[in-house]
Amino acid sequence: MRTSIAFLLAFALAAVFAAGQTRNALDIYVVDVEGGNATLFVSPSGQSLLMDTGNANGAVRDAERIVAAARDAGLTQIDHLIITHWHGDHYGGASELAARIPIREFIDHGPNVQPAAAPDEFLQKTYPQLYEKGKHTVVKAGDKIAIDGLDVRVVTSAGQAIKTALPGGGAANPDCANFKPATGGNAEDPMSVGIYVKFGKFRTAHFGDILKNQEFALMCPKNPIGTIDLLLGLHHGQASSNSPVLVHALRPRVGIMNDGTRKGGEPETMMTVYSSPGFEDLWQLHFSLLSGQEYTQPGMFIANLADEAPAAMPIAPMAAPQPGPGAPPAPVHNGPAHWIKVSARADGTFTVTNQRNNFSKTYAPR
């Protein structure tokens, strides 16, 4: 009871604080959910859009980290929640989050196509109880999400991509000629809900966990999106995504990677990002042992450290261990968590801030 009262008082104070502010920026919080995904957009109108809710195996931890970001933004509710796909590191904190802050609309791609006990039980027993208190929307590529002051487009969903170019898109994509179809993967990543967000002259995109073949389907033979300023997510920095047909064609100036200490930051992804035309900086939620010193970013761009940090960062990238019960545990990080925050203005200027060290950098309009 005391915890519930404390949360209510905190949100009431946040609402008073927000009411006294005049918003003139789009704020984006990339929340540390330990290699999962939770990205919160807050429009100048005060409306909110959250993509994903963190991990099932850290649901309370991740929900509370998302609530902390919402409180920092002065929110008293989440207006729209997109669950990009039915993997535990994306939907896992939904129930705990809904117990802490009202969620008005639940958005997803539709049924789970990768049968497994945990997501199937969640979809059958838990999810309907969450969205019955609000609204449930299954989106398709090409749909819009109504947020005052923003242009939010669904560009991928349920394995389909937009067919009509957005304003500024439609040019031929020269990287398509060198694309080699990928093999392997799973069934749910390709189903991810991906979005494009435009605020004035500022443009950003988050594609969930779509894989290379879906990147090709979206971006070839013509690039329907055009260029963007900020690329979010990058599928945790994993090499199963982030092909040049996507990254190089979008020409982002900045990327924010929602990686974990041993998840993502793989050399192939890092080389693709660093070689993208006009790319300036990559910000990461965690350092990655899979990058090694060879490919890692300077520490000022990295938001979180490990509680059990290695004595020295190896020069050579570590090979990702094979998944399964025999895999060694990843370095633990359950201490203070830090987000990376973006504040974007309508003229195209945006500032990225690392909460851990207060390092920030402002990027002038393109």
Side-chain angles (χ1 to χ4, degrees):
M1 177 63 73
R2 289 180 179 177
T3 301
S4 298
I5 293 172
F7 272 112
L8 289 172
L9 288 172
F11 278 120
L13 289 171
V16 171
F17 176 71
Q21 296 184 94
T22 300
R23 297 179 185 270
N24 56 12
L26 164 63
D27 289 333
I28 305 169
Y29 293 79
V30 184
V31 182
D32 174 29
V33 289
E34 305 301 333
N37 184 59
T39 305
L40 176 65
F41 300 79
V42 184
S43 73
S45 64
Q47 294 173 278
S48 55
L49 168 66
L50 174 66
M51 291 187 76
D52 293 331
T53 62
N55 290 279
N57 60 1
V60 172
R61 174 201 66 200
D62 292 352
E64 291 183 348
R65 291 178 179 180
I66 295 167
V67 166
R71 188 161 58 242
D72 187 79
L75 300 179
T76 58
Q77 66 181 31
I78 301 297
D79 296 300
H80 312 277
L81 167 62
I82 295 173
I83 297 180
T84 58
H85 62 294
W86 304 117
H87 281 165
D89 55 337
H90 293 261
Y91 76 83
S95 183
E96 293 291 347
L97 181 65
R100 288 162 171 77
I101 183 171
I103 302 172
R104 299 307 181 195
E105 182 182 21
F106 293 78
I107 299 169
D108 57 64
H109 71 67
N112 177 35
V113 300
Q114 185 182 342
D120 289 343
E121 182 176 3
F122 173 81
L123 286 168
Q124 292 167 12
K125 298 180 180 179
T126 304
Y127 194 47
Q129 296 177 5
L130 299 182
Y131 64 65
E132 72 177 2
K133 302 173 185 177
K135 179 183 179 183
H136 178 219
T137 304
V138 175
V139 290
K140 61 183 183 299
D143 286 351
K144 292 186 178 183
I145 298 174
I147 298 179
D148 292 343
L150 303 182
D151 181 5
V152 183
R153 309 284 187 105
V154 176
V155 294
T156 63
S157 183
Q160 300 299 312
I162 54 172
K163 305 299 183 184
T164 303
L166 304 177
N173 184 349
D175 283 293
C176 297
N178 298 318
F179 179 80
K180 296 180 180 179
T183 58
N186 60 69
E188 262 298 303
D189 280 345
M191 306 296 282
S192 291
V193 177
I195 63 171
Y196 164 89
V197 179
K198 184 174 183 291
F199 170 52
K201 295 180 179 180
F202 174 80
R203 294 151 296 178
T204 184
H206 193 313
F207 300 102
D209 284 2
I210 65 169
L211 303 177
K212 287 179 176 177
N213 290 347
Q214 288 70 49
E215 294 174 348
F216 179 85
L218 171 65
M219 301 296 291
C220 293
K222 294 182 179 182
N223 167 7
I225 295 174
T227 60
I228 62 174
D229 300 292
L230 173 67
L231 179 58
L232 294 164
L234 294 98
H235 190 181
H236 319 294
Q238 297 189 106
S240 56
S241 303
N242 303 300
S243 60
V245 297
L246 180 85
V247 179
H248 289 194
L250 293 173
R251 294 180 176 243
R253 299 175 59 195
V254 175
I256 302 179
M257 181 186 295
N258 57 6
D259 63 323
T261 54
R262 206 185 61 204
K263 182 179 183 180
E266 297 174 49
E268 181 182 335
T269 293
M270 304 300 267
M271 287 189 288
T272 298
V273 169
Y274 293 154
S275 63
S276 182
F279 191 80
E280 297 181 45
D281 293 311
L282 178 66
W283 300 68
Q284 298 176 213
L285 281 184
H286 282 270
F287 83 92
S288 172
L289 290 169
L290 306 190
S291 294
Q293 292 184 46
E294 194 83 36
Y295 300 100
T296 197
Q297 281 290 94
M300 67 181 68
F301 293 94
I302 299 174
N304 294 285
L305 309 177
D307 300 339
E308 301 174 357
M313 184 72 164
I315 293 177
M318 170 185 171
Q322 291 297 313
V332 175
H333 174 238
N334 285 313
H338 304 286
W339 58 63
I340 292 174
K341 180 182 178 182
V342 180
S343 289
R345 298 185 178 277
D347 68 356
T349 302
F350 63 104
T351 299
V352 184
T353 301
N354 180 348
Q355 187 195 23
R356 176 178 65 84
N357 54 17
N358 290 320
F359 172 70
S360 67
K361 184 172 179 179
T362 297
Y363 302 86
R366 205 186 269 271

